[in-house]
Amino acid sequence: MTVVLSTISAARQWMRTERSAGKTIGLVPTMGALHEGHLSLFRQARQRCDCVIASIFVNPLQFGPTEDYDHYPRNLDHDMTLAEQEKLNAIFHPEAREMYPQPPQITVSPGRFGELLCGVSRPGHFQGVATVVAKLFNILQPNVAFFGQKDAQQAIIVQRMAQDLNFPVAIEICPIVREPDGLAMSSRNQYLNAADRVRATVLYQALRRAERLIRSGVRDAIQVEREMQEVIATTPGVELDYARVVDRQSLQDVSEVTGEVLLAVAARFGRTRLIDNMIVVPEG
Ligand code: PAF
């Protein structure tokens, strides 16, 4: 039986009860609209921790004024069915006014990590993410928190936040889960119409093309970026946001692929913006 906790005090009480019983707590922060990607995080959390709580909270702070906060898919019944199936111990599902009774004045700045890649077209987004994740860590005090590699920049920012601000939580990053045709699972995939759903596979195709180039010995990052850009931008109906080769940890541009790199892409399909990435280690 999965308990639904909708207030911070109920969530804290639940956390204290589990902790005093000597149990370790795994947290999977989500915005709901659960899919196989989330389920893989739940399963990982169940393996590692005695009890698992998922938060379902569409965080207004991480949406820009013209973004999809109002339309973001919300379906608690569907999410609860999956939570029960996956034997989650609890769901933390607060209202926005519970999390933000007043507009927050004190927030967490992700520094330069928030200004790169997705931060360019989504100013303030990662500050909103870091702030809500810090609040969730403070409220639920998990031993381990689980995030998906699909949101690579978010994962790096959360890891750095936990290190830099000394949160006593281990951060575990779990692999991307893909549809059979390669499209990375995302709650926003459900916005895609049939034509855009087909086009959306171009992100994975671009990553695979770049991976093959690097494996074949190409080391010039600009060349690799150009190839990815071409694959995406030449697909009719797709608007490229970025296609970059960056250092896996610092997310800074690299000119030569000498070590582990993150290939990161983002594009718009109609009004839907999707991202994807791949970590590649050059051979030899
Ligand atoms: O990845 C998400 O779903 C969100 O950014 C997160 C981590 C739950 C914070 O709102």
Side-chain angles (χ1 to χ4, degrees):
M1 176 76 186
T2 308
V3 191
V4 181
L5 309 159
S6 52
T7 63
I8 293 169
S9 64
R12 283 220 163 103
Q13 190 51 53
W14 175 88
M15 177 272 290
R16 282 194 206 104
T17 307
E18 299 301 339
R19 285 235 161 184
S20 55
K23 295 197 177 146
T24 55
I25 297 176
L27 167 66
V28 183
T30 83
M31 297 205 299
L34 302 179
H35 50 68
E36 275 298 325
H38 296 113
L39 303 193
S40 76
L41 300 179
F42 297 162
R43 288 167 196 160
Q44 189 60 28
R46 284 216 64 79
Q47 279 190 8
R48 234 189 109 189
C49 301
D50 299 324
C51 56
V52 178
I53 182 165
S55 58
I56 296 181
F57 178 61
V58 184
N59 172 34
L61 222 60
Q62 68 189 73
F63 289 80
T66 60
E67 292 185 349
D68 54 345
Y69 175 70
D70 288 335
H71 307 287
Y72 197 84
R74 292 163 173 87
N75 188 343
L76 190 61
D77 290 344
H78 161 267
D79 290 349
M80 279 309 297
T81 305
L82 293 178
E84 296 274 5
Q85 259 171 32
E86 294 299 319
K87 300 191 171 40
L88 295 196
N89 300 83
I91 290 285
F92 178 46
H93 179 57
E95 296 280 342
R97 63 176 174 272
E98 176 74 6
M99 290 294 272
Y100 302 111
Q102 55 192 350
Q105 291 300 312
I106 313 296
T107 56
V108 179
S109 162
R112 65 185 167 79
F113 284 105
E115 288 157 19
L116 309 163
L117 301 175
C118 289
V120 175
S121 57
R122 304 191 72 189
H125 167 68
F126 290 108
Q127 186 169 355
V129 170
T131 301
V132 80
V133 171
K135 284 167 75 77
L136 292 169
F137 286 175
N138 283 331
I139 295 165
L140 298 166
Q141 298 179 20
N143 300 82
V144 190
F146 298 81
F147 294 83
Q149 172 62 24
K150 163 47 193 14
D151 298 300
Q153 187 171 8
Q154 166 172 289
I156 295 273
I157 288 170
V158 170
Q159 280 175 323
R160 273 304 288 261
M161 179 182 80
Q163 284 166 18
D164 290 355
L165 301 183
N166 301 96
F167 280 96
V169 56
I171 308 296
E172 191 156 318
I173 309 302
C174 304
I176 298 176
V177 180
R178 297 184 179 281
E179 300 282 359
D181 63 4
L183 178 66
M185 299 264 183
S186 162
S187 302
R188 288 190 169 98
N189 290 351
Q190 55 182 278
Y191 294 147
L192 298 169
N193 63 30
D196 286 332
R197 170 64 188 82
V198 174
R199 289 182 189 116
T201 58
V202 80
L203 294 179
Y204 186 58
Q205 287 159 19
L207 295 171
R208 289 296 306 272
R209 168 111 187 90
E211 182 192 31
R212 280 196 298 273
L213 282 176
I214 294 172
R215 295 225 184 286
S216 72
V218 174
R219 294 288 172 264
D220 179 359
I222 302 286
Q223 185 187 341
V224 177
E225 286 181 350
R226 273 205 205 107
E227 296 278 351
M228 288 195 291
Q229 286 158 5
E230 199 185 308
V231 175
I232 297 171
T234 56
T235 307
V238 183
E239 192 193 326
L240 174 72
D241 183 345
Y242 63 76
R244 305 290 285 281
V245 181
V246 296
D247 179 85
R248 196 216 157 155
Q249 291 302 330
S250 70
L251 303 181
Q252 295 289 339
D253 287 335
V254 296
S255 52
E256 222 187 319
V257 182
T258 49
E260 209 171 44
V261 287
L262 180 78
L263 310 175
V265 292
R268 284 196 171 73
F269 304 84
R271 294 176 62 180
T272 307
R273 183 177 178 280
L274 299 179
I275 57 174
D276 200 351
N277 69 85
M278 188 182 280
I279 294 166
V280 180
V281 192
E283 282 150 20

